[in-house]
Amino acid sequence: MKTKNFNILIIGSGPAGLFAAIWLEKVGMDKIAIIDRNAYPAGGLLNDGKLNFDYRVGMDVDELRITRADAEKIMREIKQVFSGFPRCRQVTFLDQHKEVLALAEMASEHGAQFIAPEQWHWGTDNGKALVDYLRSYLKNTDFLLRTEVTSMQKLNNNNFRLDCKHNNKSVHYNAPVVLASPGRSGAYWFRDVARKMNIQNNFGPIDVGIRLELNRKFYDIVTDIVYDPKFIFKTGRHDDRVRTFCTNPGGRVRMEDYGDFKLINGDALLGKKTKNTNFALLNTIALTKPYSDTTEFAQSIAKQFFLLGGGKPIVQRIGDFRERRRSSQATFNSTTRHFEVCKATCNATPGDITLAMPARIMDNLWESLKSMDKIIPGILHPSTLMYAPEIKFFDTHFPTDRFLETNIKGVFVAGDGTGKSRGIVGAAISGIIAAKGMLERTGNSFKNFGE
Ligand SMILES: Cc1cc2nc3c(=O)[nH]c(=O)nc-3n(C[C@H](O)[C@H](O)[C@H](O)COP(=O)(O)OP(=O)(O)OC[C@H]3O[C@@H](n4cnc5c(N)ncnc54)[C@H](O)[C@@H]3O)c2cc1C
Protein backbone atom coordinates (compact mmCIF):
# COMPACT_ATOMS: atom_id res chain seq x y z
CA MET A 1 0.00 0.00 0.00
CA LYS A 2 1.45 3.33 -1.10
CA THR A 3 1.36 6.31 1.23
CA LYS A 4 1.60 9.82 -0.14
CA ASN A 5 3.18 12.62 1.91
CA PHE A 6 2.02 16.24 2.15
CA ASN A 7 2.93 19.27 4.23
CA ILE A 8 -0.69 19.89 5.21
CA LEU A 9 -3.79 17.73 4.93
CA ILE A 10 -7.20 19.37 5.11
CA ILE A 11 -10.27 17.24 5.83
CA GLY A 12 -13.32 18.82 4.20
CA SER A 13 -13.72 21.15 1.22
CA GLY A 14 -16.31 23.52 2.70
CA PRO A 15 -15.58 27.21 3.25
CA ALA A 16 -13.32 26.46 6.25
CA GLY A 17 -11.09 24.07 4.28
CA LEU A 18 -11.13 26.06 1.03
CA PHE A 19 -10.27 29.39 2.64
CA ALA A 20 -7.50 27.78 4.69
CA ALA A 21 -5.99 26.45 1.45
CA ILE A 22 -6.48 29.77 -0.40
CA TRP A 23 -4.65 31.60 2.40
CA LEU A 24 -1.86 29.00 2.56
CA GLU A 25 -1.27 29.15 -1.20
CA LYS A 26 -1.26 32.93 -1.06
CA VAL A 27 1.64 32.90 1.41
CA GLY A 28 3.52 30.38 -0.71
CA MET A 29 2.86 27.08 1.07
CA ASP A 30 3.00 23.98 -1.11
CA LYS A 31 2.18 20.27 -0.87
CA ILE A 32 -1.32 20.88 0.48
CA ALA A 33 -4.17 18.43 -0.09
CA ILE A 34 -7.90 18.80 0.53
CA ILE A 35 -9.69 15.51 1.11
CA ASP A 36 -13.45 15.21 0.63
CA ARG A 37 -15.75 12.22 0.38
CA ASN A 38 -17.89 14.03 -2.18
CA ALA A 39 -17.09 14.14 -5.88
CA TYR A 40 -17.48 17.89 -5.97
CA PRO A 41 -15.50 19.90 -3.43
CA ALA A 42 -17.93 22.41 -1.98
CA GLY A 43 -19.30 21.43 1.42
CA GLY A 44 -22.16 23.79 2.29
CA LEU A 45 -21.25 26.31 -0.42
CA LEU A 46 -23.81 24.79 -2.76
CA ASN A 47 -26.60 25.91 -0.40
CA ASP A 48 -28.20 29.32 -0.80
CA GLY A 49 -25.08 31.39 -0.15
CA LYS A 50 -26.00 34.24 2.12
CA LEU A 51 -22.90 35.93 3.47
CA ASN A 52 -23.18 37.76 6.78
CA PHE A 53 -20.29 40.15 7.21
CA ASP A 54 -20.74 40.96 10.87
CA TYR A 55 -18.64 39.84 13.82
CA ARG A 56 -21.85 39.20 15.82
CA VAL A 57 -23.28 36.71 13.32
CA GLY A 58 -22.16 33.14 12.61
CA MET A 59 -19.06 33.31 14.79
CA ASP A 60 -17.98 33.89 18.36
CA VAL A 61 -14.96 36.16 18.46
CA ASP A 62 -14.15 35.03 22.02
CA GLU A 63 -14.12 31.40 20.92
CA LEU A 64 -11.90 32.33 17.95
CA ARG A 65 -9.74 34.44 20.28
CA ILE A 66 -9.77 37.44 17.98
CA THR A 67 -10.88 41.02 18.46
CA ARG A 68 -13.71 42.65 16.55
CA ALA A 69 -11.03 44.55 14.58
CA ASP A 70 -9.26 41.26 13.68
CA ALA A 71 -12.57 39.76 12.52
CA GLU A 72 -13.29 42.81 10.35
CA LYS A 73 -9.80 42.68 8.85
CA ILE A 74 -10.16 39.02 7.86
CA MET A 75 -13.70 39.66 6.58
CA ARG A 76 -12.33 42.32 4.24
CA GLU A 77 -9.97 39.70 2.81
CA ILE A 78 -12.83 37.21 2.37
CA LYS A 79 -15.02 39.87 0.76
CA GLN A 80 -12.30 40.62 -1.72
CA VAL A 81 -12.34 36.98 -2.84
CA PHE A 82 -16.15 36.84 -3.18
CA SER A 83 -16.32 40.21 -4.94
CA GLY A 84 -14.57 38.63 -7.94
CA PHE A 85 -17.68 36.50 -8.54
CA PRO A 86 -20.24 38.87 -10.15
CA ARG A 87 -23.30 36.77 -9.28
CA CYS A 88 -22.53 37.22 -5.57
CA ARG A 89 -24.37 40.48 -4.89
CA GLN A 90 -24.69 42.69 -1.89
CA VAL A 91 -28.31 42.52 -0.68
CA THR A 92 -28.21 44.47 2.60
CA PHE A 93 -26.59 47.89 2.66
CA LEU A 94 -25.80 49.51 5.94
CA ASP A 95 -26.28 53.01 4.61
CA GLN A 96 -30.06 52.63 5.05
CA HIS A 97 -29.61 53.79 8.61
CA LYS A 98 -32.99 55.39 9.13
CA GLU A 99 -35.06 52.28 8.41
CA VAL A 100 -32.68 50.00 10.29
CA LEU A 101 -32.73 52.25 13.35
CA ALA A 102 -36.53 52.39 13.26
CA LEU A 103 -36.68 48.59 13.19
CA ALA A 104 -34.18 48.31 16.02
CA GLU A 105 -36.22 50.73 18.08
CA MET A 106 -39.43 48.84 17.42
CA ALA A 107 -37.72 45.55 18.31
CA SER A 108 -36.41 46.97 21.55
CA GLU A 109 -39.90 48.18 22.50
CA HIS A 110 -40.91 44.52 22.37
CA GLY A 111 -37.91 43.22 24.28
CA ALA A 112 -35.92 42.08 21.24
CA GLN A 113 -32.51 42.95 19.87
CA PHE A 114 -32.25 43.62 16.14
CA ILE A 115 -29.07 43.17 14.13
CA ALA A 116 -28.71 44.18 10.49
CA PRO A 117 -25.43 42.87 9.09
CA GLU A 118 -23.95 43.71 5.70
CA GLN A 119 -25.17 40.80 3.57
CA TRP A 120 -24.34 39.31 0.18
CA HIS A 121 -26.08 36.48 -1.67
CA TRP A 122 -25.47 34.26 -4.70
CA GLY A 123 -28.36 31.72 -4.57
CA THR A 124 -28.37 27.93 -4.74
CA ASP A 125 -28.63 28.11 -8.56
CA ASN A 126 -25.17 29.75 -8.69
CA GLY A 127 -23.49 27.47 -6.14
CA LYS A 128 -21.48 25.37 -8.60
CA ALA A 129 -20.19 28.37 -10.54
CA LEU A 130 -19.15 29.98 -7.25
CA VAL A 131 -17.22 26.90 -6.17
CA ASP A 132 -15.49 26.66 -9.58
CA TYR A 133 -14.49 30.28 -9.14
CA LEU A 134 -13.06 29.64 -5.63
CA ARG A 135 -11.19 26.62 -6.92
CA SER A 136 -9.52 28.78 -9.55
CA TYR A 137 -7.54 30.33 -6.64
CA LEU A 138 -6.01 26.96 -5.88
CA LYS A 139 -3.35 26.18 -8.45
CA ASN A 140 -1.13 23.86 -6.40
CA THR A 141 -3.51 22.23 -3.93
CA ASP A 142 -4.31 18.55 -4.58
CA PHE A 143 -8.03 17.69 -4.40
CA LEU A 144 -8.45 14.10 -3.20
CA LEU A 145 -12.13 13.61 -3.96
CA ARG A 146 -14.55 10.72 -3.46
CA THR A 147 -12.16 9.96 -0.62
CA GLU A 148 -13.57 9.38 2.84
CA VAL A 149 -11.24 9.69 5.80
CA THR A 150 -12.08 6.79 8.06
CA SER A 151 -9.47 7.15 10.81
CA MET A 152 -6.43 9.10 11.86
CA GLN A 153 -3.40 8.24 13.93
CA LYS A 154 -0.21 9.82 15.15
CA LEU A 155 2.97 8.11 13.93
CA ASN A 156 6.28 7.87 15.78
CA ASN A 157 7.89 10.50 13.54
CA ASN A 158 5.24 13.05 14.65
CA ASN A 159 3.44 12.78 11.35
CA PHE A 160 -0.27 11.98 11.15
CA ARG A 161 -1.61 9.23 8.96
CA LEU A 162 -5.09 9.51 7.50
CA ASP A 163 -6.62 6.19 6.47
CA CYS A 164 -9.13 6.70 3.69
CA LYS A 165 -11.47 4.84 1.38
CA HIS A 166 -11.43 5.76 -2.29
CA ASN A 167 -13.59 3.71 -4.68
CA ASN A 168 -13.72 0.97 -2.04
CA LYS A 169 -9.94 0.82 -1.89
CA SER A 170 -7.81 1.79 1.11
CA VAL A 171 -5.50 4.74 0.62
CA HIS A 172 -3.26 6.55 3.13
CA TYR A 173 -1.93 10.06 3.37
CA ASN A 174 0.69 11.45 5.77
CA ALA A 175 1.46 14.97 6.93
CA PRO A 176 2.91 16.67 10.01
CA VAL A 177 -0.11 18.99 10.13
CA VAL A 178 -3.82 18.24 9.74
CA LEU A 179 -6.81 20.58 9.62
CA ALA A 180 -10.12 18.93 10.53
CA SER A 181 -12.95 20.94 8.99
CA PRO A 182 -15.53 18.20 8.39
CA GLY A 183 -18.65 20.41 8.75
CA ARG A 184 -21.80 19.36 10.54
CA SER A 185 -22.16 16.20 8.45
CA GLY A 186 -18.75 14.94 9.65
CA ALA A 187 -18.90 16.35 13.18
CA TYR A 188 -19.73 13.13 15.00
CA TRP A 189 -17.34 11.04 12.95
CA PHE A 190 -14.53 13.44 13.86
CA ARG A 191 -15.61 13.52 17.51
CA ASP A 192 -15.09 9.73 17.62
CA VAL A 193 -11.67 10.08 15.99
CA ALA A 194 -10.77 12.84 18.43
CA ARG A 195 -11.74 10.73 21.44
CA LYS A 196 -9.55 7.87 20.24
CA MET A 197 -6.62 10.29 19.81
CA ASN A 198 -7.21 12.01 23.17
CA ILE A 199 -8.02 15.30 21.48
CA GLN A 200 -9.97 17.23 24.10
CA ASN A 201 -13.62 18.00 23.31
CA ASN A 202 -16.89 18.58 25.11
CA PHE A 203 -20.56 19.25 24.46
CA GLY A 204 -21.55 22.80 23.57
CA PRO A 205 -25.06 24.29 23.37
CA ILE A 206 -27.36 23.22 20.55
CA ASP A 207 -30.02 25.13 18.58
CA VAL A 208 -33.46 23.53 18.31
CA GLY A 209 -36.53 25.12 16.76
CA ILE A 210 -38.85 25.56 13.83
CA ARG A 211 -38.90 27.17 10.39
CA LEU A 212 -41.67 29.56 9.51
CA GLU A 213 -42.97 29.94 5.98
CA LEU A 214 -45.31 32.79 5.18
CA ASN A 215 -46.63 34.76 2.27
CA ARG A 216 -43.78 37.14 1.55
CA LYS A 217 -46.06 40.19 1.51
CA PHE A 218 -46.12 40.11 5.33
CA TYR A 219 -42.35 40.23 5.70
CA ASP A 220 -41.19 42.18 2.63
CA ILE A 221 -41.43 45.38 4.61
CA VAL A 222 -38.44 44.14 6.64
CA THR A 223 -36.56 41.96 4.13
CA ASP A 224 -36.58 44.73 1.51
CA ILE A 225 -34.33 46.62 3.94
CA VAL A 226 -32.44 43.73 5.55
CA TYR A 227 -32.33 40.52 3.50
CA ASP A 228 -31.71 38.23 6.49
CA PRO A 229 -32.92 40.12 9.59
CA LYS A 230 -31.62 38.95 12.96
CA PHE A 231 -34.02 39.29 15.88
CA ILE A 232 -32.79 38.02 19.24
CA PHE A 233 -35.21 37.42 22.12
CA LYS A 234 -34.65 36.71 25.80
CA THR A 235 -37.87 35.01 26.86
CA GLY A 236 -39.76 36.14 29.94
CA ARG A 237 -41.08 32.76 30.93
CA HIS A 238 -37.84 30.74 30.94
CA ASP A 239 -35.16 33.42 30.49
CA ASP A 240 -33.89 31.58 27.39
CA ARG A 241 -32.37 32.81 24.14
CA VAL A 242 -34.29 32.58 20.87
CA ARG A 243 -33.15 34.03 17.55
CA THR A 244 -34.18 34.24 13.94
CA PHE A 245 -31.77 32.61 11.51
CA CYS A 246 -31.35 32.07 7.78
CA THR A 247 -34.16 34.13 6.24
CA ASN A 248 -34.89 33.43 2.59
CA PRO A 249 -37.11 36.03 0.90
CA GLY A 250 -38.80 34.39 -2.11
CA GLY A 251 -37.21 31.11 -1.01
CA ARG A 252 -38.07 27.44 -0.49
CA VAL A 253 -38.26 25.22 2.59
CA ARG A 254 -36.01 22.17 2.25
CA MET A 255 -35.71 18.78 3.91
CA GLU A 256 -32.34 17.28 4.92
CA ASP A 257 -32.06 13.52 5.25
CA TYR A 258 -29.99 12.24 8.18
CA GLY A 259 -30.96 8.59 7.81
CA ASP A 260 -32.61 8.09 11.22
CA PHE A 261 -34.51 11.36 10.90
CA LYS A 262 -35.12 14.36 8.64
CA LEU A 263 -34.57 18.01 9.43
CA ILE A 264 -35.95 21.22 7.98
CA ASN A 265 -33.86 23.94 6.35
CA GLY A 266 -34.38 26.63 3.72
CA ASP A 267 -32.75 28.34 0.78
CA ALA A 268 -33.43 30.68 -2.15
CA LEU A 269 -32.50 30.83 -5.80
CA LEU A 270 -31.21 34.01 -7.37
CA GLY A 271 -32.96 33.47 -10.70
CA LYS A 272 -36.39 32.23 -9.60
CA LYS A 273 -38.36 33.41 -6.59
CA THR A 274 -41.40 31.89 -4.85
CA LYS A 275 -44.25 33.90 -3.32
CA ASN A 276 -43.07 32.96 0.17
CA THR A 277 -40.41 33.87 2.67
CA ASN A 278 -39.04 31.42 5.22
CA PHE A 279 -36.82 31.77 8.27
CA ALA A 280 -35.75 29.65 11.22
CA LEU A 281 -36.55 30.44 14.84
CA LEU A 282 -34.09 28.68 17.11
CA ASN A 283 -33.86 28.18 20.86
CA THR A 284 -30.34 27.68 22.24
CA ILE A 285 -30.18 24.78 24.71
CA ALA A 286 -27.28 23.97 27.02
CA LEU A 287 -27.29 20.93 29.31
CA THR A 288 -25.43 20.35 32.55
CA LYS A 289 -25.12 17.44 34.98
CA PRO A 290 -26.23 14.71 35.12
CA TYR A 291 -26.66 14.66 31.35
CA SER A 292 -24.75 17.02 29.06
CA ASP A 293 -24.98 15.21 25.72
CA THR A 294 -26.75 17.88 23.67
CA THR A 295 -26.29 15.82 20.50
CA GLU A 296 -28.21 12.83 21.76
CA PHE A 297 -30.88 15.06 23.29
CA ALA A 298 -31.50 16.90 19.99
CA GLN A 299 -31.39 13.65 18.01
CA SER A 300 -34.07 12.19 20.27
CA ILE A 301 -36.29 15.21 19.50
CA ALA A 302 -35.66 14.78 15.77
CA LYS A 303 -36.54 11.07 15.97
CA GLN A 304 -39.77 11.87 17.79
CA PHE A 305 -40.82 14.13 14.89
CA PHE A 306 -39.74 11.47 12.39
CA LEU A 307 -41.92 8.91 14.16
CA LEU A 308 -45.00 11.12 14.49
CA GLY A 309 -44.60 12.56 11.00
CA GLY A 310 -44.53 9.11 9.39
CA GLY A 311 -40.90 9.50 8.28
CA LYS A 312 -41.07 13.22 7.50
CA PRO A 313 -40.91 16.50 9.41
CA ILE A 314 -44.22 17.94 10.65
CA VAL A 315 -45.89 21.14 9.44
CA GLN A 316 -48.67 23.01 11.24
CA ARG A 317 -50.63 26.10 10.22
CA ILE A 318 -50.67 28.97 12.73
CA GLY A 319 -54.49 28.98 12.36
CA ASP A 320 -54.66 25.38 13.57
CA PHE A 321 -52.06 25.91 16.28
CA ARG A 322 -54.02 28.83 17.73
CA GLU A 323 -57.18 26.67 17.77
CA ARG A 324 -55.17 23.90 19.52
CA ARG A 325 -55.79 21.40 16.76
CA ARG A 326 -53.41 19.49 14.52
CA SER A 327 -53.16 20.37 10.85
CA SER A 328 -54.50 17.76 8.50
CA GLN A 329 -54.29 16.98 4.81
CA ALA A 330 -58.06 17.51 4.42
CA THR A 331 -58.04 21.16 5.51
CA PHE A 332 -54.42 22.03 4.74
CA ASN A 333 -55.33 24.46 1.93
CA SER A 334 -58.79 25.42 3.22
CA THR A 335 -59.92 28.78 1.84
CA THR A 336 -62.52 29.25 4.58
CA ARG A 337 -59.63 29.24 7.05
CA HIS A 338 -57.58 31.57 4.76
CA PHE A 339 -54.90 28.91 4.39
CA GLU A 340 -54.62 29.46 0.63
CA VAL A 341 -52.67 32.67 1.34
CA CYS A 342 -49.50 30.61 1.82
CA LYS A 343 -48.84 27.61 -0.41
CA ALA A 344 -46.31 25.24 1.20
CA THR A 345 -43.05 24.77 -0.74
CA CYS A 346 -42.07 21.64 1.18
CA ASN A 347 -43.92 18.37 1.43
CA ALA A 348 -43.90 17.76 5.21
CA THR A 349 -46.65 15.92 7.12
CA PRO A 350 -49.52 18.11 8.41
CA GLY A 351 -49.76 17.45 12.16
CA ASP A 352 -49.15 18.88 15.61
CA ILE A 353 -45.65 20.10 16.40
CA THR A 354 -46.39 20.44 20.12
CA LEU A 355 -46.52 16.64 20.44
CA ALA A 356 -42.82 16.25 19.70
CA MET A 357 -41.30 19.54 20.85
CA PRO A 358 -40.30 19.85 24.53
CA ALA A 359 -42.67 22.26 26.31
CA ARG A 360 -39.95 24.68 27.37
CA ILE A 361 -38.75 25.10 23.78
CA MET A 362 -42.32 25.46 22.48
CA ASP A 363 -43.08 28.14 25.11
CA ASN A 364 -39.95 30.06 24.13
CA LEU A 365 -40.71 29.88 20.41
CA TRP A 366 -44.32 30.94 20.77
CA GLU A 367 -43.50 33.81 23.11
CA SER A 368 -40.89 35.06 20.62
CA LEU A 369 -43.28 34.70 17.69
CA LYS A 370 -45.91 36.74 19.48
CA SER A 371 -43.35 39.51 20.06
CA MET A 372 -42.30 39.31 16.41
CA ASP A 373 -45.91 39.67 15.32
CA LYS A 374 -46.08 42.94 17.23
CA ILE A 375 -42.95 44.21 15.48
CA ILE A 376 -44.09 42.96 12.05
CA PRO A 377 -47.89 42.63 12.20
CA GLY A 378 -49.21 39.86 9.99
CA ILE A 379 -46.46 37.29 10.25
CA LEU A 380 -48.78 35.16 12.42
CA HIS A 381 -51.49 35.08 9.74
CA PRO A 382 -53.53 31.82 10.02
CA SER A 383 -51.90 30.59 6.78
CA THR A 384 -48.35 30.86 8.13
CA LEU A 385 -46.66 27.48 8.38
CA MET A 386 -44.49 26.16 11.19
CA TYR A 387 -42.22 23.30 10.13
CA ALA A 388 -40.26 21.23 12.65
CA PRO A 389 -37.69 20.16 13.57
CA GLU A 390 -34.97 22.57 12.54
CA ILE A 391 -31.83 21.67 14.50
CA LYS A 392 -28.27 22.97 14.11
CA PHE A 393 -25.80 20.31 15.16
CA PHE A 394 -22.80 22.54 15.90
CA ASP A 395 -22.57 21.29 19.43
CA THR A 396 -19.17 19.59 19.65
CA HIS A 397 -16.69 21.99 21.11
CA PHE A 398 -12.89 21.69 20.92
CA PRO A 399 -10.75 23.73 23.30
CA THR A 400 -8.01 25.31 21.15
CA ASP A 401 -5.25 27.91 21.29
CA ARG A 402 -5.30 31.23 19.42
CA PHE A 403 -4.57 29.48 16.10
CA LEU A 404 -7.23 26.80 16.61
CA GLU A 405 -4.67 24.11 17.39
CA THR A 406 -5.98 21.38 19.69
CA ASN A 407 -4.13 19.89 22.66
CA ILE A 408 -2.49 17.51 20.14
CA LYS A 409 0.20 19.56 18.41
CA GLY A 410 -0.25 19.52 14.66
CA VAL A 411 -4.02 18.92 14.75
CA PHE A 412 -6.04 22.06 13.99
CA VAL A 413 -9.82 22.43 13.77
CA ALA A 414 -12.10 24.89 11.94
CA GLY A 415 -15.65 25.34 10.74
CA ASP A 416 -19.12 24.35 11.95
CA GLY A 417 -18.34 20.71 12.76
CA THR A 418 -15.87 21.63 15.47
CA GLY A 419 -17.85 24.43 17.10
CA LYS A 420 -15.78 27.24 15.58
CA SER A 421 -18.43 28.79 13.31
CA ARG A 422 -22.11 28.84 12.38
CA GLY A 423 -22.12 29.94 8.79
CA ILE A 424 -20.03 30.45 5.67
CA VAL A 425 -18.17 33.62 6.67
CA GLY A 426 -17.42 32.34 10.19
CA ALA A 427 -16.17 29.05 8.73
CA ALA A 428 -13.92 30.90 6.28
CA ILE A 429 -12.52 33.09 9.08
CA SER A 430 -11.76 30.07 11.24
CA GLY A 431 -10.04 28.37 8.26
CA ILE A 432 -7.82 31.41 7.77
CA ILE A 433 -6.91 31.58 11.48
CA ALA A 434 -6.00 27.89 11.47
CA ALA A 435 -3.99 28.40 8.25
CA LYS A 436 -1.77 30.89 10.02
CA GLY A 437 -1.12 28.45 12.86
CA MET A 438 -0.48 25.60 10.42
CA LEU A 439 2.06 27.66 8.54
CA GLU A 440 3.93 28.30 11.79
CA ARG A 441 3.70 24.65 12.78
CA THR A 442 5.40 23.66 9.52
CA GLY A 443 8.31 25.96 10.47
CA ASN A 444 7.38 28.83 8.16
CA SER A 445 6.50 32.34 9.15
CA PHE A 446 3.98 34.83 7.86
CA LYS A 447 3.60 38.55 7.46
CA ASN A 448 0.57 40.81 7.48
CA PHE A 449 -1.87 38.22 8.75
CA GLY A 450 -5.39 39.26 7.90
CA GLU A 451 -4.35 41.89 5.33
C1 LIG B 1 -29.83 24.19 3.18
C2 LIG B 1 -28.72 24.98 3.82
C3 LIG B 1 -28.65 26.34 3.61
C4 LIG B 1 -27.62 27.08 4.18
N1 LIG B 1 -27.54 28.40 3.91
C5 LIG B 1 -26.54 29.14 4.43
C6 LIG B 1 -26.42 30.50 4.12
O1 LIG B 1 -27.21 31.04 3.34
N2 LIG B 1 -25.42 31.22 4.68
C7 LIG B 1 -24.52 30.65 5.54
O2 LIG B 1 -23.62 31.37 6.03
N3 LIG B 1 -24.60 29.34 5.84
C8 LIG B 1 -25.59 28.58 5.30
N4 LIG B 1 -25.66 27.25 5.59
C9 LIG B 1 -24.63 26.70 6.50
C10 LIG B 1 -23.29 26.56 5.77
O3 LIG B 1 -23.47 25.67 4.71
C11 LIG B 1 -22.24 26.07 6.77
O4 LIG B 1 -22.18 27.00 7.83
C12 LIG B 1 -20.84 25.98 6.14
O5 LIG B 1 -20.86 25.23 4.96
C13 LIG B 1 -19.88 25.32 7.13
O6 LIG B 1 -18.64 25.19 6.52
P1 LIG B 1 -17.57 24.07 6.94
O7 LIG B 1 -16.39 24.29 6.08
O8 LIG B 1 -17.41 24.06 8.40
O9 LIG B 1 -18.25 22.66 6.59
P2 LIG B 1 -18.99 22.11 5.30
O10 LIG B 1 -19.26 23.21 4.36
O11 LIG B 1 -20.12 21.31 5.78
O12 LIG B 1 -17.91 21.17 4.62
C14 LIG B 1 -17.45 19.99 5.24
C15 LIG B 1 -16.98 19.01 4.19
O13 LIG B 1 -16.31 17.93 4.85
C16 LIG B 1 -16.57 16.73 4.16
N5 LIG B 1 -16.36 15.60 5.07
C17 LIG B 1 -16.95 15.38 6.28
N6 LIG B 1 -16.47 14.26 6.85
C18 LIG B 1 -15.56 13.75 5.98
C19 LIG B 1 -14.75 12.60 6.00
N7 LIG B 1 -14.74 11.72 7.02
N8 LIG B 1 -13.93 12.36 4.93
C20 LIG B 1 -13.91 13.22 3.87
N9 LIG B 1 -14.68 14.33 3.81
C21 LIG B 1 -15.49 14.60 4.85
C22 LIG B 1 -18.02 16.88 3.72
O14 LIG B 1 -18.28 16.06 2.61
C23 LIG B 1 -18.10 18.39 3.38
O15 LIG B 1 -17.86 18.60 1.99
C24 LIG B 1 -26.64 26.46 5.01
C25 LIG B 1 -26.70 25.09 5.21
C26 LIG B 1 -27.71 24.35 4.63
C27 LIG B 1 -27.73 22.87 4.86
Side-chain angles (χ1 to χ4, degrees):
M1 256 176 300
K2 250 177 92 178
T3 302
K4 217 172 156 189
N5 296 302
F6 289 92
N7 283 330
I8 294 176
L9 285 167
I10 297 174
I11 306 171
S13 65
L18 281 179
F19 272 85
I22 290 172
W23 194 90
L24 286 164
E25 271 208 22
K26 197 170 127 190
V27 294
M29 188 77 206
D30 61 359
K31 292 177 77 181
I32 309 165
I34 296 182
I35 308 178
D36 205 294
R37 58 184 167 207
N38 290 333
Y40 192 74
L45 290 168
L46 293 179
N47 294 316
D48 192 55
K50 273 184 298 299
L51 300 176
N52 282 291
F53 289 109
D54 192 304
Y55 72 99
R56 295 164 297 180
V57 178
M59 71 193 85
D60 177 348
V61 286
D62 294 335
E63 176 62 35
L64 294 173
R65 300 216 202 171
I66 53 173
T67 62
R68 173 186 171 176
D70 292 333
E72 283 167 352
K73 222 171 176 187
I74 307 172
M75 277 192 275
R76 277 198 293 279
E77 193 178 347
I78 293 168
K79 230 185 262 182
Q80 208 176 359
V81 173
F82 281 113
S83 62
F85 181 69
R87 278 171 273 175
C88 182
R89 296 179 192 154
Q90 189 167 348
V91 286
T92 302
F93 296 84
L94 296 186
D95 51 7
Q96 293 178 327
H97 279 311
K98 233 175 68 197
E99 291 91 336
V100 170
L101 285 178
L103 268 169
E105 206 170 297
M106 242 195 307
S108 122
E109 276 168 22
H110 297 287
Q113 192 193 348
F114 178 69
I115 301 177
E118 177 182 329
Q119 289 162 335
W120 299 25
H121 181 237
W122 64 75
T124 303
D125 42 346
N126 290 307
K128 271 201 155 179
L130 180 273
V131 175
D132 289 344
Y133 162 76
L134 289 182
R135 267 187 89 170
S136 71
Y137 274 80
L138 297 169
K139 311 272 185 243
N140 302 315
T141 298
D142 280 26
F143 279 91
L144 308 169
L145 302 176
R146 293 197 184 89
T147 304
E148 174 150 28
V149 186
T150 51
S151 62
M152 173 166 149
Q153 49 191 296
K154 191 166 182 181
L155 306 173
N156 289 334
N157 60 1
N158 279 341
N159 270 11
F160 296 93
R161 190 177 88 171
L162 300 191
D163 301 316
C164 309
K165 281 264 176 273
H166 173 71
N167 292 339
N168 280 329
K169 285 198 193 109
S170 297
V171 281
H172 308 281
Y173 299 104
N174 282 3
V177 173
V178 173
L179 172 64
S181 48
R184 281 182 253 157
S185 67
Y188 302 133
W189 161 77
F190 184 66
R191 187 162 77 190
D192 287 346
V193 168
R195 285 179 180 162
K196 282 182 196 138
M197 291 182 67
N198 295 321
I199 300 173
Q200 283 166 9
N201 61 85
N202 48 44
F203 295 107
I206 198 158
D207 285 331
V208 179
I210 55 176
R211 183 165 286 264
L212 252 80
E213 182 170 45
L214 63 157
N215 187 308
R216 64 177 296 172
K217 69 180 177 186
F218 297 118
Y219 210 20
D220 276 354
I221 190 161
V222 177
T223 55
D224 284 351
I225 304 166
V226 181
Y227 185 87
D228 180 12
K230 311 284 183 191
F231 290 96
I232 302 165
F233 303 90
K234 193 91 178 154
T235 63
R237 177 128 187 222
H238 300 291
D239 201 23
D240 283 341
R241 186 175 185 268
V242 172
R243 67 193 171 108
T244 60
F245 181 81
C246 185
T247 305
N248 299 297
R252 321 171 289 186
V253 174
R254 306 267 302 270
M255 242 183 246
E256 292 173 10
D257 195 342
Y258 281 72
D260 288 348
F261 52 84
K262 289 190 173 126
L263 298 181
I264 284 295
N265 213 318
D267 74 350
L269 304 176
L270 194 69
K272 195 170 174 219
K273 299 293 180 193
T274 67
K275 290 184 175 148
N276 295 350
T277 289
N278 65 72
F279 65 90
L281 192 69
L282 301 173
N283 185 181
T284 306
I285 312 283
L287 299 176
T288 52
K289 278 181 183 174
Y291 184 73
S292 60
D293 189 337
T294 33
T295 313
E296 200 172 39
F297 174 66
Q299 283 177 345
S300 72
I301 296 173
K303 284 178 191 163
Q304 190 95 299
F305 274 101
F306 192 66
L307 184 79
L308 293 168
K312 285 199 279 187
I314 292 179
V315 58
Q316 188 170 15
R317 294 271 185 197
I318 289 287
D320 290 327
F321 179 82
R322 281 193 190 275
E323 299 288 330
R324 295 190 172 83
R325 65 178 173 233
R326 62 164 291 180
S327 286
S328 68
Q329 206 67 60
T331 58
F332 196 62
N333 292 310
S334 158
T335 44
T336 48
R337 293 177 187 185
H338 305 292
F339 289 170
E340 83 289 355
V341 174
C342 177
K343 203 166 178 321
T345 59
C346 179
N347 181 24
T349 303
D352 186 342
I353 62 172
T354 64
L355 269 181
M357 191 68 89
R360 180 174 180 142
I361 300 177
M362 200 65 238
D363 285 348
N364 287 331
L365 297 173
W366 186 237
E367 184 183 323
S368 307
L369 278 177
K370 282 196 294 186
S371 298
M372 254 188 111
D373 194 49
K374 288 183 190 144
I375 305 165
I376 314 138
I379 63 157
L380 291 187
H381 186 269
S383 63
T384 296
L385 297 156
M386 292 188 287
Y387 294 88
E390 173 133 351
I391 299 174
K392 300 299 174 201
F393 285 104
F394 347 71
D395 56 315
T396 310
H397 172 250
F398 288 82
T400 46
D401 73 1
R402 72 189 180 106
F403 295 130
L404 304 185
E405 189 172 28
T406 64
N407 60 309
I408 302 290
K409 295 287 159 260
V411 179
F412 293 76
V413 292
D416 288 13
T418 57
K420 301 300 173 192
S421 63
R422 290 165 181 238
I424 295 167
V425 174
I429 290 182
S430 66
I432 291 174
I433 295 172
K436 185 200 171 202
M438 293 192 290
L439 190 72
E440 287 216 324
R441 183 60 61 212
T442 56
N444 293 285
S445 64
F446 63 91
K447 284 189 207 135
N448 298 332
F449 172 55
E451 292 291 340

